[in-house]
Amino acid sequence: EFGCLIAYPAQPAGANAQKCWNWFRPEDQERGRGETALIGGLTREIQAAYPADPARTYIAGLSAGGAAAALVAAAYPDVFAAVGVHSGLPAQGARDIPSAFAAMRSGTTGTPHATALPTIVFHGLADGTVHPANGVASLAQALPAMPALRRSTREGTSPGGRAHRVTEHRHADGRSFAEHWEIEGAGHAWAGGDAGGSYTDPAGPDASAQMLRFFLQHHRG
């Protein structure tokens, strides 16, 4: 529908028993190191091998993948034009396994991004795996480096009946540079996902479509 190339990198069980990204390890949180470097390198390989627009490259993820997406986008602002964090955590919100569990349980904060990084966040307010406070923190991490933006809030209900609140931060030219979608009654699952998938909430708003709509407003350079 959108004419995009999409890569779905997979984590082997040998790297993480739950096949999750190791977003909480310092060696996987920085440019040129660990999993952050692997995902950045994979992206550059795709750009070289396929007719992809390097100015319109984006990254998104769910849960540990959302935290990893935030890390990779912050480490490679010369590669990614925007990031989506769904039910995830802010970049560098933990430094080891104990602090990771504490962050998932109660929320955490991360270091503000050094450069402007358009960010869209989705989080279910009934998420019992990753505390919804992490969604607030993910957006707060992005805002300090943004240009002057106008904040507004609207409410809606998805076709599946999920009430949600959307907080938008828009530039004077009309583009939204930061969005926070808070979904009532939703747990730890991708909003609007197919019922046959794992960790999906078909009743929620269509996060995939909304992220692509958000992403395509932005390009590097």
Side-chain angles (χ1 to χ4, degrees):
E1 179 182 352
F2 289 90
C4 296
L5 294 169
I6 303 179
Y8 294 96
Q11 176 76 300
N16 182 288
Q18 285 74 45
K19 299 183 180 181
C20 294
W21 300 105
N22 293 302
W23 57 274
F24 49 85
R25 301 194 313 195
E27 62 267 31
D28 293 304
Q29 294 180 342
E30 298 177 4
R31 184 184 181 98
R33 299 182 66 194
E35 293 174 359
T36 298
L38 290 173
I39 297 171
L42 170 66
T43 305
R44 286 182 165 138
E45 288 181 8
I46 292 168
Q47 290 174 337
Y50 296 91
D53 184 350
R56 294 180 180 272
T57 301
Y58 316 99
I59 187 168
L62 171 73
S63 191
L71 284 165
V72 175
Y76 293 93
D78 53 326
V79 175
F80 298 97
V83 61
V85 181
H86 199 316
S87 309
L89 303 98
Q92 298 184 335
R95 304 293 287 178
D96 51 31
I97 291 177
S99 61
F101 279 114
M104 292 169 65
R105 182 174 59 252
S106 304
T108 186
T109 57
T111 304
H113 295 321
T115 58
L117 178 60
T119 300
I120 182 169
V121 174
F122 279 77
H123 217 113
L125 295 181
D127 191 333
T129 302
V130 176
H131 195 283
N134 288 295
V136 177
S138 295
L139 205 72
Q141 186 172 55
L143 288 172
M146 296 288 189
L149 302 173
R150 296 194 303 265
R151 182 182 184 274
S152 64
T153 302
R154 58 184 172 84
E155 296 185 355
T157 304
S158 70
R162 290 281 190 209
H164 53 271
R165 179 171 62 255
V166 185
T167 302
E168 298 175 313
H169 299 260
R170 290 187 176 273
H171 191 268
D173 65 9
R175 288 181 297 163
S176 59
F177 274 69
E179 294 186 14
H180 186 196
W181 290 64
E182 298 172 282
I183 309 167
E184 295 288 348
H188 193 64
W190 187 273
D194 191 293
S198 58
Y199 297 101
T200 62
D201 177 23
D206 190 340
S208 297
Q210 292 297 335
M211 284 192 181
L212 282 167
R213 182 266 313 160
F214 177 85
F215 289 162
L216 293 173
Q217 301 174 97
H218 302 288
H219 60 87
R220 292 189 304 101

